[in-house]
Amino acid sequence: MPTRRLTRQLIWQLLLYTLLFGVAVITLKAVVVWRDGQREMNAIPDTVSRLYLPLLGQSAWDVDIPAIQLQLRLIGQIPGVQSVEVRTELGQSLRYDNPALQDQYNREEYHLPLASPHGKDSIGTLQLLVSRQPVYQAMWHEVLSATLQFLLGFFGLALLLWWLFNRQLVKPLQDMAQTVRNYQPGQALPPLLPGSPDQVVDNELSELARAFRSMSDNINRHLAERSGIENELASHRDELARLVAERTRELDQLLRFQQLIAGISTRFINIPLHDIDQATDMALGEIGQFMQVERCYLVSFSDAWLVDTVHEWCASGISPTTHTLLGESLQQRSFAWQQLQQFGVLSLDALSALPASATLERHELESHQVQSLFMLRIDHMGRPIGLFGCDMVSRQRQWQGKEQQQARLLGETLANTIIRRQQLQTLSSTQQQLRNANADLARMAFSDGLTGIANRRYFDEQLLECFTQARSQHQSLSVMQIDIDYFKQFNDSYGHLAGDQCLRQVAQCIQSQLAGTTALAARVGGEEFGVLLPGYHAADSLALAEVLRQAIWQLAIAHRNSSVGDRVTISIGVATLQDNHYASQQLMRDADLALYRAKNLGRNQVVQAQTPPHILA
């Protein structure tokens, strides 16, 4: 934005005020001149009446024409009188016109009575024509004269003021502004008024210069104070940044430690036994990397500090060593054992801290190139169950209190790992025992105690399941009902022990013939057996039944009271699933009927259930 010079502003303001003052003075003079002129014009009739009318009346009475003309000429020469005319009562008239005031406007006419010198009777009238033009001319002359004088003084004053302002005010202010503009805070302020000491105050400029110098001193002092404060703040800021960075590292490490603890704890929740070793190795690797050690291990005790299991993680290039403790008792290392037994921790920043009595420990650590180590005893319910430790091989390390505290928390977490492993091992053993017991119970529940094959309960359950599946999927299904011929006579002749042995032989023979097939054999009564044949058609089931009959015949179990022959024989009834079978009991009933027919036909034979006529059609 362009600047306006102070000289011009002040000069124009002063000139404007001077001009207004001059206009006011000139106007006042014009008004005075106008007023005086009006007063003179208004006094003309009185002057004429007082000075000229008596003589003019005498001359008119005497009819002295030359005297009258002289008087009229004198009256006409009064300033402002344009014309004068005398008119008598007799109709005579004389007139005088002022040649200098002809054709003037703004005039007034006066009629003065002309009296007789010997009385008061009127002998005529004096007519005056007065022009105000001289008043105007005098007023304008005065205005022009005053204006010319004012303008001459006005311009002279303007030049003088211009020179004074530039010399006494503007130039010093410009120099001061240039000095202040080039001034840089923190530097010494040069003289603002050359040739005049800053301490001397003799006018407003020197006072302004002193104020600037005082302001400069205050600014420099403030800058010095601010610089000191900034330096102090910078020092505090750097210290705060260092503390924040350190605290941030601590919080980050604490967060990573919490995540490590949470991850390890979560990993071993509901973990199966076969995955616990791998999970433990992964946990030790995470712990070793977090604590920045070169070897990290977890040892569990079975009893009397006897090492039961060993898990170890080693950094790249570091050889594992802890496996050498497997199967050994830690009590053999008296110094380490006493430290762990008494304090629960063994911390060695250097091997030189070992006492002379710790010969075995020193030998083992030197052989494993251990520079520093930290061991922590892991307890559960008041007894030691394991050991957690960290080694440094490449350099010595001073174990800080924070690191020892973290190691204790990790040891407590790993204690859960050892406990979890022991619990899982106990649980696995218990579950195996339970599975064996359940298998024994299942065999007892679904097998016949005498023959060892399936019992009637299991046979019925399987029959219902196979029947439902065959009906829904339109598959084949056949069943057999087997009865030992004349078994009561066998018991009466040979005794019940022989009868039981006969039942076992028959059952095992049937079971052996069905091996490799989907068939199920079961003892469904005293001397009765049932065979379930999923997927078997009628012809296949009949062929298999004949095989079973021949196998029992070939057993050649002696039976002297049998009406069929000299050995034990069986009769078989076979039934195959048909459309009229809506329940498994119907299928078994048809097999029973076929068995009764086989017995009625002479026994030792296979009979198939009769097919309903509408099925044959």
Side-chain angles (χ1 to χ4, degrees):
M1 181 178 180
T3 59
R4 299 174 58 191
R5 299 187 62 181
L6 181 61
T7 305
R8 293 182 181 178
Q9 298 180 30
L10 294 176
I11 292 298
W12 281 114
Q13 291 179 10
L14 288 173
L15 292 180
L16 177 61
Y17 295 147
T18 304
L19 181 62
L20 292 176
F21 179 75
V23 171
V25 170
I26 293 172
T27 303
L28 181 60
K29 286 184 177 182
V31 170
V32 171
V33 171
W34 170 259
R35 186 189 64 185
D36 293 342
Q38 288 293 339
R39 187 182 297 115
E40 291 178 1
M41 292 298 104
N42 293 332
I44 289 177
D46 295 337
T47 302
V48 171
S49 298
R50 180 167 48 81
L51 296 178
Y52 295 102
L53 280 183
L55 295 177
L56 188 59
Q58 184 65 42
S59 299
W61 179 265
D62 294 335
V63 191
D64 188 356
I65 298 303
I68 294 173
Q69 291 178 346
L70 177 60
Q71 293 295 326
L72 292 178
R73 188 180 303 111
L74 292 174
I75 293 172
Q77 291 179 355
I78 296 174
V81 176
Q82 183 176 355
S83 66
V84 60
E85 183 180 3
V86 174
R87 291 180 182 180
T88 64
E89 295 293 336
L90 299 179
Q92 298 173 343
S93 65
L94 288 176
R95 180 183 178 88
Y96 176 78
D97 295 320
N98 190 348
L101 298 176
Q102 296 300 314
D103 301 328
Q104 296 292 321
Y105 299 99
N106 197 5
R107 57 193 179 183
E108 294 184 8
E109 186 174 347
Y110 298 95
H111 295 277
L112 302 176
L114 187 62
S116 171
H118 303 288
K120 297 182 177 181
D121 296 334
S122 176
I123 61 174
T125 303
L126 179 66
Q127 181 179 356
L128 289 173
L129 189 61
V130 179
S131 175
R132 299 186 182 276
Q133 191 65 28
V135 177
Y136 293 139
Q137 291 177 354
M139 182 184 67
W140 286 113
H141 180 269
E142 183 66 25
V143 168
L144 290 176
S145 177
T147 302
L148 181 60
Q149 295 177 1
F150 172 75
L151 289 177
L152 290 175
F154 178 80
F155 285 111
L157 178 62
L159 293 176
L160 179 60
L161 289 176
W162 184 275
W163 180 76
L164 289 176
F165 271 108
N166 274 307
R167 182 176 180 274
Q168 299 294 332
L169 181 62
V170 175
K171 187 63 169 60
L173 286 177
Q174 289 177 345
D175 296 340
M176 189 181 301
Q178 182 66 25
T179 302
V180 173
R181 186 181 301 111
N182 297 330
Y183 170 70
Q184 295 294 332
Q187 299 178 355
L189 185 66
L192 296 175
L193 295 175
S196 176
D198 291 342
Q199 293 77 11
V200 178
V201 179
D202 55 357
N203 55 30
E204 288 77 2
L205 286 177
S206 58
E207 185 176 0
L208 179 61
R210 185 175 182 180
F212 271 125
R213 183 163 297 280
S214 177
M215 182 183 68
S216 172
D217 295 340
N218 292 333
I219 290 176
N220 292 335
R221 184 171 59 255
H222 173 71
L223 289 177
E225 294 176 355
R226 190 179 70 176
S227 178
I229 293 174
E230 287 179 351
N231 293 334
E232 186 176 358
L233 287 177
S235 177
H236 288 302
R237 183 177 62 250
D238 295 339
E239 179 65 18
L240 181 61
R242 185 187 65 80
L243 293 176
V244 169
E246 182 179 353
R247 185 57 178 168
T248 301
R249 288 193 298 270
E250 291 178 356
L251 292 177
D252 290 341
Q253 186 178 14
L254 178 59
L255 177 60
R256 291 190 296 111
F257 181 73
Q258 291 176 344
Q259 293 175 346
L260 175 63
I261 293 292
I264 294 174
S265 301
T266 305
R267 185 177 300 142
F268 287 96
I269 295 176
N270 299 327
I271 188 173
L273 181 61
H274 58 81
D275 292 337
I276 198 167
D277 289 335
Q278 182 180 2
T280 303
D281 293 337
M282 292 177 59
L284 288 176
E286 295 173 357
I287 293 173
Q289 292 176 0
F290 174 80
M291 298 192 67
Q292 297 181 354
V293 296
E294 295 172 322
R295 185 181 292 125
C296 185
Y297 44 88
L298 176 66
V299 176
S300 65
F301 301 147
S302 59
D303 191 14
W305 296 80
L306 183 64
V307 177
D308 182 26
T309 59
V310 173
H311 292 276
E312 183 178 10
W313 170 85
C314 295
S316 178
I318 305 300
S319 302
T321 60
T322 317
H323 61 278
T324 57
L325 298 175
L326 192 62
E328 295 187 6
S329 175
L330 203 62
Q331 293 179 351
Q332 298 175 0
R333 296 151 181 84
S334 58
F335 172 74
W337 177 76
Q338 290 175 1
Q339 292 291 317
L340 295 171
Q341 177 72 13
Q342 184 176 359
F343 304 106
V345 63
L346 173 59
S347 178
L348 292 177
D349 298 337
L351 295 186
S352 58
L354 285 172
S357 59
T359 307
L360 179 59
E361 289 85 346
R362 183 185 300 275
H363 174 72
E364 288 185 346
L365 294 177
E366 289 178 349
S367 63
H368 299 326
Q369 299 179 349
V370 176
Q371 299 289 331
S372 301
L373 67 85
F374 179 83
M375 290 185 181
L376 178 70
R377 188 187 69 207
I378 301 176
D379 295 339
H380 177 63
M381 299 182 67
R383 70 178 186 87
I385 62 172
L387 179 68
F388 169 66
C390 300
D391 291 349
M392 293 298 296
V393 177
S394 61
R395 61 181 177 86
Q396 295 181 355
R397 177 170 178 174
Q398 185 177 4
W399 304 99
Q400 304 295 330
K402 184 187 301 183
E403 296 174 339
Q404 295 185 12
Q405 184 179 6
Q406 291 177 348
R408 292 181 184 276
L409 294 175
L410 290 171
E412 294 177 359
T413 303
L414 294 175
N416 296 327
T417 303
I418 298 175
I419 297 170
R420 177 67 175 169
R421 180 188 184 89
Q422 293 176 352
Q423 290 175 347
L424 288 177
Q425 289 176 343
T426 304
L427 179 61
S428 176
S429 177
T430 304
Q431 288 177 343
Q432 184 61 40
Q433 294 176 4
L434 181 60
R435 283 193 295 268
N436 295 336
N438 289 333
D440 293 338
L441 290 175
R443 284 192 297 270
M444 294 173 61
F446 298 112
S447 64
D448 181 62
L450 178 63
T451 61
I453 63 174
N455 57 15
R456 178 62 181 263
R457 175 185 175 185
Y458 186 70
F459 181 82
D460 290 341
E461 291 178 359
Q462 293 300 310
L463 172 64
L464 179 60
E465 182 179 344
C466 292
F467 181 86
T468 303
Q469 182 178 357
R471 288 281 297 182
S472 61
Q473 298 181 7
H474 304 287
Q475 297 177 351
S476 300
L477 176 64
S478 298
V479 294
M480 298 181 188
Q481 281 284 61
I482 304 173
D483 185 75
I484 299 177
D485 298 329
Y486 301 109
F487 186 71
K488 182 178 181 304
Q489 289 80 355
F490 186 90
N491 276 335
D492 293 341
S493 176
Y494 297 98
H496 290 285
L497 291 179
D500 295 339
Q501 180 63 26
C502 176
L503 290 174
R504 281 192 291 268
Q505 288 180 304
V506 171
Q508 293 303 320
C509 181
I510 296 174
Q511 185 75 17
S512 64
Q513 295 299 319
L514 299 178
T517 66
T518 58
L520 172 67
R523 182 186 178 194
V524 297
E527 67 277 10
E528 295 181 358
F529 298 88
V531 178
L532 183 61
L533 301 171
Y536 277 71
H537 297 282
D540 297 332
S541 59
L542 284 175
L544 181 58
E546 185 60 30
V547 170
L548 294 179
R549 190 189 68 80
Q550 290 292 337
I552 299 301
W553 174 266
Q554 291 175 2
L555 285 177
I557 301 173
H559 189 356
R560 56 178 173 266
N561 291 328
S562 174
S563 301
V564 179
D566 59 349
R567 62 187 66 186
V568 173
T569 60
I570 57 173
S571 299
I572 303 176
V574 180
T576 302
L577 179 64
Q578 304 295 335
D579 293 339
N580 65 326
H581 293 144
Y582 298 103
S584 59
Q585 293 81 1
Q586 293 178 337
L587 182 61
M588 290 302 298
R589 183 197 59 190
D590 289 349
D592 284 336
L593 293 176
L595 176 60
Y596 293 151
R597 288 181 56 208
K599 290 181 177 182
N600 293 331
L601 293 176
R603 303 178 189 258
N604 190 24
Q605 56 184 294
V606 178
V607 174
Q608 185 179 14
Q610 294 181 350
T611 302
H614 67 279
I615 299 299
L616 295 175

